[in-house]
Amino acid sequence: MLMSDAFDGRLTFSPSNKVVQLPYINYMREMGAVFLNSYTNSPICCPSRAAMWSGQFVHMTQAWNNYKCLDSNATTWMDHLGKSGYHTHSMGKLDYTSGDHSVSNRVEAWTRDVPFLLRQEGRPVNELVGDTSTKRVMTKDWNITDAAVQWIRNTAVSLAQPFALYVGLNLPHPYRTDSLGPTAGGSTFRTSPYWLNKVSYDQVSVPKWLRVEDMHPVDYYSTFTKNCSGHFTEKEIRNIRAFYYAMCAETDSMLGEVIAALRDTGLLNRTVVLFTSDHGDLAMEHRQFYKMSMFEGSSHVPLLLMGPGVKPGFEISLPVSLVDIYPTVLDLAGVPQPGGLSGHSLIPLVSGVSVQSAEPHPGWVLSEYHGCNANASTYMLRIGEWKYITYADGLTVPPQLFNLSKDESELRNVASHFPDVCQDLDKLLRTIVDYPSVSQTVHRYNKQQFLEWKQSLGDSYSQVIANLRWHIDWQKDAKSYERDIEEWLVGLD
């Protein structure tokens, strides 16, 4: 399994993939199965990976943000494989346990429903490095890829028992903007001329944006906090998108190295290969970059599967999500399923063979988000042609409804035109998750965590909070923002 970070799943099938050369993803699609509607269960790194590794929805694991995810001793599908005789090995980005990420990231998540607007990210920019021979831009990921190739060539090939290898990459996640300091977010799209040559620049679209006054309030909050509310030229937007696609091409090449190692060692025909990502990147769609949104660019992830028992050239349109990987992997390995999983095995969908342990996939997907850059807990239900998005308690923030068969760009919120559809989908959603209650739990958690952090700082609180990533905005009226927080903390349970 190779898992990237921030890879837009729509690039794995036509027509989106014509903008950039992705030969190894195309190879996987020809030799195996591609899921056309695969989604993250939370559009941010750690909660998404927590869902993938645990096989459980975010509200079940309470992986609320990039700081609070799974316990370090949580049982993953890799643990089950290890106990069942597999030789297991994981390398690279795992990022699913609690306790990491910057203080800024945590505080921004905890204070998201304080009624203020502060820019939390650097303005998205692109950066060209090297020349037409520079293949290794993301050296850390290439080192991980090299290690994976060596492990396949030196260890996997000589094992007596079956193996499971997980390779976690950081690309095509944008790079940290160093000029903004050590806690800066990733707002730099960096590549070399070598990879940019893999992009058909004339095919790079400039997405249509709604007028600011027509944006959903949560989307506007995201746009502002992501530092995207200012003016961008068409050239800036097209360059950011082109550089992002080039970063995807570099990721594809790493996938190719792993596939080549399996082929050269004679393992490819008897090994199942899976490629996915934790979330996508909006790359300036909807006047945003990054993730933290239920729009397709952020929530739609790649999911390709090839190997023994998988039909070649097979496309599956049924909506699926990352929690389905856990039962799928165990089914592939013939390992019994534990109880309490949120996902369903995908083996019947890719092979046409029914698996005794597998319940039929329900055909809907749940994604939820509780972190920074969105000022309300967000819940997305994808089923058929519909994407229904509701917020908080379902009453205080208006919902969104998109018909993806008629509005791929998600520019027409038709919730007010189809109240019956919203009512039906909301009813189904509430059978899956009591989302008003979950939102309240997250709200209490955020207040409690912030208060504990504030108290731990003592007299240095005012100085520390003024110098987080939002410092440019904060320091214009620090006392006012501190008062906003104090009012928010009133009535803490």
Side-chain angles (χ1 to χ4, degrees):
M1 176 175 175
L2 191 144
M3 187 174 206
S4 61
D5 191 310
F7 199 110
D8 183 346
R10 298 170 301 176
L11 290 174
T12 60
F13 52 87
S14 290
S16 299
N17 64 332
K18 287 182 171 58
V19 75
V20 57
Q21 297 172 33
L22 302 170
Y24 299 103
I25 282 173
N26 289 342
Y27 175 77
M28 283 195 70
R29 195 172 74 242
E30 291 165 11
M31 300 302 293
V34 58
F35 289 86
L36 304 179
N37 292 295
S38 51
Y39 289 88
T40 180
N41 298 108
S42 189
I44 193 170
C45 302
C46 293
S48 169
R49 292 163 187 271
M52 188 279 290
W53 282 110
S54 70
Q56 292 187 314
F57 291 137
V58 166
H59 63 271
M60 296 171 68
T61 62
Q62 298 197 339
W64 302 135
N65 54 50
N66 265 352
Y67 180 62
K68 185 183 185 306
C69 288
L70 300 184
D71 293 334
S72 57
N73 62 352
T75 302
T76 68
W77 50 262
M78 190 71 98
D79 295 326
H80 281 289
L81 294 184
K83 291 172 185 172
S84 300
Y86 270 69
H87 185 107
T88 62
H89 192 60
S90 297
M91 59 179 67
K93 188 168 190 175
L94 298 173
D95 214 13
Y96 64 91
T97 55
S98 294
D100 205 354
H101 286 79
S102 70
V103 173
S104 287
N105 191 281
R106 295 171 216 166
V107 175
E108 291 155 10
W110 295 334
T111 59
R112 66 196 183 125
D113 46 2
V114 178
F116 53 46
L117 270 176
L118 295 164
R119 283 169 291 179
Q120 301 169 3
E121 308 290 347
R123 180 183 168 96
V125 294
N126 55 275
E127 180 186 354
L128 194 64
V129 298
D131 54 34
T132 53
S133 65
T134 305
K135 290 185 179 181
R136 296 193 166 211
V137 180
M138 183 25 153
T139 52
K140 185 176 180 181
D141 278 355
W142 278 109
N143 291 339
I144 291 164
T145 303
D146 291 344
V149 166
Q150 287 302 113
W151 190 88
I152 291 167
R153 294 184 186 279
N154 298 336
T155 303
V157 73
S158 59
L159 290 171
Q161 77 261 50
F163 73 87
L165 172 64
Y166 170 88
V167 183
L169 302 178
N170 203 64
L171 273 182
H173 190 295
Y175 294 78
R176 197 180 76 197
T177 304
D178 293 329
S179 61
L180 299 178
T183 66
S187 58
T188 297
F189 292 81
R190 180 183 300 150
T191 194
S192 70
Y194 179 88
W195 295 113
L196 209 52
N197 285 339
K198 308 294 183 185
V199 178
S200 300
Y201 194 82
D202 60 339
Q203 297 284 317
V204 177
S205 64
V206 175
K208 185 179 178 183
W209 291 348
L210 294 175
R211 297 183 308 165
V212 167
E213 56 266 37
D214 294 332
M215 294 178 74
H216 186 276
V218 175
D219 295 333
Y220 177 73
Y221 177 90
S222 298
T223 288
F224 191 96
T225 59
K226 291 176 181 177
N227 208 350
C228 291
S229 58
H231 176 70
F232 288 83
T233 65
E234 282 200 7
K235 185 178 180 182
E236 276 183 288
I237 296 167
R238 187 173 269 118
N239 281 345
I240 288 168
R241 291 173 67 74
F243 277 57
Y244 171 70
Y245 295 140
M247 292 158 70
C248 291
E250 188 175 1
T251 311
D252 177 80
S253 185
M254 296 173 188
L255 171 65
E257 293 291 316
V258 174
I259 291 173
L262 291 168
R263 184 190 62 229
D264 294 347
T265 53
L267 291 169
L268 187 59
N269 290 336
R270 50 196 175 100
T271 302
V272 174
V273 180
L274 190 155
F275 174 73
T276 191
S277 183
D278 55 355
H279 50 74
D281 194 295
L282 287 159
M284 301 312 291
E285 292 181 15
H286 302 279
R287 206 184 184 103
Q288 296 181 44
F289 77 110
Y290 244 11
K291 54 273 186 178
M292 301 122 166
S293 164
M294 295 303 172
F295 287 127
E296 289 290 284
S298 165
S299 65
H300 198 136
V301 297
L303 185 55
L304 297 111
L305 203 62
M306 73 175 189
V310 180
K311 288 183 179 179
F314 202 44
E315 295 185 345
I316 299 102
S317 58
L318 191 78
V320 299
S321 67
L322 292 179
V323 289
D324 295 324
I325 288 176
Y326 195 124
T328 301
V329 168
L330 296 193
D331 264 351
L332 280 167
V335 174
Q337 308 275 343
L341 297 181
S342 302
H344 295 74
S345 175
L346 303 176
I347 299 305
L349 298 178
V350 299
S351 67
V353 177
S354 61
V355 179
Q356 212 168 20
S357 64
E359 294 178 31
H361 199 286
W364 52 256
V365 160
L366 169 69
S367 190
E368 53 190 293
Y369 184 67
H370 309 285
C372 58
N373 295 109
N375 58 339
S377 284
T378 307
Y379 306 85
M380 183 267 279
L381 186 67
R382 173 73 212 280
I383 183 169
E385 62 191 350
W386 299 109
K387 178 188 283 188
Y388 175 67
I389 308 169
T390 188
Y391 300 88
D393 57 4
L395 299 170
T396 52
V397 181
Q400 290 174 290
L401 180 69
F402 298 102
N403 185 322
L404 295 186
S405 65
K406 297 178 181 177
D407 178 26
E408 288 184 9
S409 299
E410 299 171 290
L411 293 171
R412 297 192 299 276
N413 174 17
V414 296
S416 61
H417 300 285
F418 295 94
D420 291 349
V421 173
C422 288
Q423 189 175 2
D424 289 345
L425 294 179
D426 195 80
K427 186 177 179 181
L428 173 58
L429 178 61
R430 288 171 189 259
T431 67
I432 302 163
V433 53
D434 179 2
Y435 71 84
S437 175
V438 172
S439 298
Q440 191 58 37
T441 298
V442 177
H443 180 76
R444 285 195 298 268
Y445 161 82
N446 287 338
K447 283 189 175 186
Q448 289 163 352
Q449 290 295 304
F450 180 86
L451 188 61
E452 288 176 20
W453 174 76
K454 178 178 183 285
Q455 291 170 341
S456 74
L457 294 174
D459 294 339
S460 64
Y461 163 71
S462 293
Q463 180 185 1
V464 172
I465 198 167
N467 287 285
L468 299 180
R469 291 195 304 197
W470 53 32
H471 66 276
I472 293 172
D473 286 350
W474 183 281
Q475 293 176 16
K476 292 174 184 174
D477 194 356
K479 292 297 180 188
S480 172
Y481 295 126
E482 281 198 38
R483 279 197 303 271
D484 289 337
I485 288 177
E486 291 309 308
E487 290 174 11
W488 169 69
L489 286 172
V490 170
L492 176 65
D493 291 344

